[in-house]
Amino acid sequence: MNRREFLKAGLCGGGLVALSALPAVGAPKRKNVMTVNYISLPIGAEKPFSVFHISDTHLKGLAPTDGEAVRRHLAPRFAGFDPEDALETSIGWAQRHKCEFLLHTGDLIDCATDGNVALLKKFFGENANVLYAPGNHEYATDYAAPRGKQTEAEFRAINTPKVQAAAPFDLQFHAQVVNGVNFVMLDDVYGTVSPASVEKFHAEAGKGLPIVLCQHVPFFTPGLALAHARSHTSGFALD
């Protein structure tokens, strides 16, 4: 990406969307503080292009069909903060600055309420040009990981069908080539990668294109592991 900026915003993690296809949003609202970092990646693209990266939106939409337990779960979360407004503000910023693509790397929703699934479809589900890496909260109800004797497969099975139905891509693995760069989404949110995803990744690597690996949970290097440990010690979690 020579002489152009690879854009990253520290607001929200998973999808790649042509910005012209995103839902229209109004003027930016000033309820949420927004920070934008600019990064240039010369990775061998056929032509320069810009990507706006967001993660961890944690939308908290509710529908009349959603139960009382999840309503109690969502009520105290993000007090004084509007996740949907933050997402719309991010999209609006990217549109105004003529970014070609939007990359979202997980926890778009805080839990798989019917209201949140509708929001997922509103923002990303009807776009054909999408890359979105799920986070652990995409599979959540009123908790975000298996509990007690519940297995990961049992936990995922609760909400995966309805979330998958709203997304026009495979939640476990999806790849899309943009200007000669292969954006590969890989679901590793509970510390494992499925054998099928490993096989698919090898096939993508065999294409010989530069790869941008899109994950909610990055594979740890020693330096990243140390940074993560320090963040938890300071009371700020990178999840």
Side-chain angles (χ1 to χ4, degrees), residues 196-212:
S197 292
V198 172
E199 185 176 344
K200 291 177 181 177
F201 180 81
H202 281 300
E204 295 300 325
K207 295 177 180 178
L209 299 173
I211 289 177
V212 175

Side-chain angles (χ1 to χ4, degrees), residues 139-155:
Y139 305 106
T141 48
D142 55 343
Y143 56 98
R147 285 180 173 177
K149 295 182 179 180
Q150 187 179 39
T151 67
E152 179 183 328
E154 290 170 340
F155 176 76

Side-chain angles (χ1 to χ4, degrees), residues 114-180:
D114 292 343
N116 269 337
V117 170
L119 287 175
L120 187 156
K121 189 170 184 178
K122 168 188 171 182
F123 285 108
F124 296 123
E126 296 179 356
N127 275 281
N129 188 24
V130 123
L131 185 63
Y132 167 81
N136 54 307
H137 280 263
E138 267 68 21
Y139 305 106
T141 48
D142 55 343
Y143 56 98
R147 285 180 173 177
K149 295 182 179 180
Q150 187 179 39
T151 67
E152 179 183 328
E154 290 170 340
F155 176 76
R156 285 176 178 266
I158 297 171
N159 289 313
T160 296
K162 71 176 183 180
V163 176
Q164 182 65 78
F169 42 81
D170 186 345
L171 290 172
Q172 292 295 298
F173 188 96
H174 181 70
Q176 182 172 330
V177 177
V178 179
N179 292 334

Side-chain angles (χ1 to χ4, degrees), residues 7 42 93 112 132 181 196 201 222:
L7 304 177
W93 189 97
Y132 167 81
V181 177
F201 180 81

Side-chain angles (χ1 to χ4, degrees), residues 15 38 65 100 201 209 213:
Y38 297 79
T65 50
E100 288 99 329
F201 180 81
L209 299 173
L213 189 58

